[in-house]
Amino acid sequence: MKMWAGRFTKEIDQTVNDFNSSILFDYRLYPYDIQGSIAHSQMLSDQGIISKEDKEKIHEGLREILKNMDAHEIEFTTQYEDIHMCIEQLLTEKIGDAGKRLHTGRSRNDQVALDVRLYAQNQAQQILKGLLRLIEVLTKIAKENTTTIMPGYTHLQRAQPITFGHLLMAYTNMFRRDVTRIENTIELMNECPLGSGALATTTYPINREQTAKLLGFRKPCDNSLDGVSDRDYVVELLSDLSILMMHCSRLSEEVIAWCSWEFKFVELSDAYATGSSIMPQKKNPDICELVRGKTGRVFGDLQSILVTLKGLPLAYNKDMQEDKEALFDAVDTVKMCLDVLPPMFETMTLYKENMLKAAQEGFLNATDCADYLTKKGIPFRDAYKISGTIVAWCVENNKTLNEVSLKQYQQFHPLFENDIYEALDLMNCVESRKVYGGPSKNSVERQIQSIESFIENRKEMYEEA
Ligand code: ARG
């Protein structure tokens, strides 16, 4: 018999029952549902709506159910419509009438809105913890590589020399923004929907401030219709996670390229790579490819919730039951990616000589050649042209800029002197870019410091998540 049996004379059709039930996926909300019910019953008792004895029984019963569920002793089957019904039913079986009083002044609509919010907040914090670890690992590698020269690319063409540290710090800056975005999302969802009831609150003298406080929220949400139908925070968290995955995917794409024989800038540890079933020589960067692939999946989750909400009138509609799987899937996916990426980077071998070699070929110092003349008074546009002509000559004669003789240089322009070779030295090219944000050792060290203090301020905060 369903809990809502009163109005119905027929049993529900079995197929409809299974179609309607959400327990097979929303069971994972049980810790939050119990947390919410403990706060709600506490408030009911404090307001004199239920007796203290009933409250005690409810708390004891709920704690037992929590233990049973933590120990996987409860089988979640579609005999329960959802996790909320399941817990209430088990409670009533355990403690009788007191269990039936728990739902006074509450609806599943504000109950589920609360549970999903608590889940989202908690998971967002766990994701922050993983994300900070990734930033930490990348920063550590950057610190060891502030003088490791590599080619910087535009259009995937060798462009100007940078260092491996400079490149990694670009990613830590993206991930730092992801942290801030997720923190903002947590803050924005920090209002409690409990007490909104089905849509129009209740006639009982409930205390929404108290439940909000007990559950760690800043305040109760201001409007009950909004309280039960708001899923903005799901959309927002999934947007944040999509952007985060987009960053992980771009970084993964770099690693995939660096692992190829064409680049050979890095090699993944055997523990973080996979082989081929037929080609014995293969060592594949599957982790990175999966992160790249799973990024599409998280984008899909975001799209799914957006489309689900798009046409919904106020207040609760059953469509909203579809918010959970997308949210759960995105959270699980991101957490998995954040579990594998840090150790993969930590154990990755760098082939610094290959990075340097790649930077030495491809005229990455052609800009510096032009700048050399500009600093001697030639207008940049003319200097650019002369430098381009020298590059063309080098291509023709199979030489690098460093291999051109001074005599030859002077034929291109008389202002060239012996110090041109110093100006063309790759380390000097990097070091002379001292501008804020640039690749010089000092500048990258400043970037590292900034990220390190950002992490330091947060580490303890998310340690318990
Ligand atoms: N399982 C439902 C959900 O996930 C809970 C809310 C049901 N409310 C209702 N009035 N049917 O959205």
Side-chain angles (χ1 to χ4, degrees), residues 146 160-173 176 429-451:
T146 53
Q160 288 177 346
I162 56 169
T163 64
F164 194 57
H166 189 220
L167 182 141
L168 289 182
M169 289 316 287
Y171 281 98
T172 62
N173 273 279
R176 168 164 61 181
C429 295
V430 166
E431 268 316 297
S432 45
R433 287 176 166 80
K434 295 185 190 310
V435 174
Y436 189 89
S440 77
K441 186 167 190 288
N442 252 324
S443 162
V444 173
E445 276 167 359
R446 189 166 49 213
Q447 299 166 36
I448 291 172
Q449 235 170 40
S450 159
I451 292 285

Side-chain angles (χ1 to χ4, degrees), residues 27-299:
Y27 69 88
R28 63 160 104 185
L29 294 175
Y30 77 81
Y32 310 101
D33 197 75
I34 291 175
Q35 192 189 350
S37 290
I38 288 178
H40 179 66
S41 51
Q42 179 67 49
M43 178 278 292
L44 289 179
S45 145
D46 290 351
Q47 294 294 103
I49 301 168
I50 63 170
S51 71
K52 223 172 145 202
E53 295 73 56
D54 280 348
K55 185 245 330 188
E56 294 298 337
K57 280 191 199 158
I58 290 172
H59 282 195
E60 205 177 304
L62 286 173
R63 291 209 177 94
E64 250 173 65
I65 293 172
L66 179 63
K67 252 193 228 144
N68 296 151
M69 288 186 171
D70 281 345
H72 308 287
E73 285 160 10
I74 310 279
E75 205 191 336
F76 297 113
T77 68
T78 57
Q79 62 165 310
Y80 304 113
E81 190 176 333
D82 54 29
I83 189 62
H84 326 291
M85 293 296 214
C86 168
I87 291 173
E88 192 182 327
Q89 200 170 315
L90 292 173
L91 182 69
T92 303
E93 281 164 19
K94 253 187 216 297
I95 65 168
D97 278 356
K100 295 189 203 156
R101 296 209 168 91
L102 169 63
H103 210 54
T104 314
R106 185 176 74 172
S107 157
R108 265 188 304 158
N109 296 352
D110 57 346
Q111 194 177 352
V112 72
L114 170 70
D115 293 3
V116 177
R117 232 173 242 248
L118 288 172
Y119 168 86
Q121 278 186 334
N122 180 281
Q123 297 299 311
Q125 260 152 19
Q126 289 187 32
I127 287 170
L128 283 177
K129 197 169 140 189
L131 187 49
L132 287 175
R133 167 138 191 262
L134 177 61
I135 299 177
E136 199 170 25
V137 167
L138 295 177
T139 307
K140 187 175 153 263
I141 305 173
K143 218 170 175 173
E144 296 158 3
N145 288 285
T146 53
T147 56
T148 307
I149 306 265
M150 73 178 291
Y153 297 83
T154 63
H155 314 268
L156 204 55
Q157 303 287 318
R158 291 176 196 171
Q160 288 177 346
I162 56 169
T163 64
F164 194 57
H166 189 220
L167 182 141
L168 289 182
M169 289 316 287
Y171 281 98
T172 62
N173 273 279
M174 299 177 216
F175 291 131
R176 168 164 61 181
R177 288 195 296 277
D178 290 323
V179 169
T180 307
R181 253 188 292 271
I182 294 172
E183 285 176 343
N184 291 344
T185 297
I186 293 176
E187 181 46 30
L188 212 53
M189 70 169 102
N190 201 2
E191 295 187 0
C192 185
L194 190 63
S196 296
L199 72 162
T201 70
T202 175
T203 53
Y204 295 99
I206 61 169
N207 182 347
R208 293 195 59 205
E209 273 78 24
Q210 185 190 354
T211 43
K213 206 166 153 217
L214 283 173
L215 292 164
F217 288 97
R218 194 160 36 80
K219 65 187 278 294
C221 62
D222 278 342
N223 179 291
S224 64
L225 291 170
D226 182 42
V228 287
S229 59
D230 171 24
R231 296 292 184 275
D232 290 4
Y233 60 94
V234 179
V235 176
E236 230 190 323
L237 184 58
L238 293 196
S239 310
D240 299 345
L241 298 186
S242 294
I243 299 175
L244 163 59
M245 285 301 289
M246 180 261 288
H247 292 150
C248 290
S249 183
R250 292 181 74 171
L251 178 56
S252 296
E253 174 59 22
E254 308 260 15
V255 177
I256 292 167
W258 296 339
C259 286
S260 70
W261 282 102
E262 282 69 15
F263 281 79
K264 262 290 162 245
F265 287 177
V266 302
E267 183 167 345
L268 298 178
S269 150
D270 285 358
Y272 290 90
T274 47
S276 154
S277 61
I278 171 170
M279 297 168 282
Q281 85 283 14
K282 289 299 282 293
K283 183 165 173 184
N284 296 328
D286 284 29
I287 291 182
C288 298
E289 293 165 72
L290 277 172
V291 170
R292 194 175 58 182
K294 285 175 191 294
T295 299
R297 180 174 170 153
V298 174
F299 292 1

Side-chain angles (χ1 to χ4, degrees), residues 22 26 81-82 84 108-109 112 316 318 320-321 324:
S22 53
D26 70 14
E81 190 176 333
D82 54 29
H84 326 291
R108 265 188 304 158
N109 296 352
V112 72
Y316 177 83
K318 192 71 173 225
M320 287 176 165
Q321 183 161 285
K324 286 165 212 61

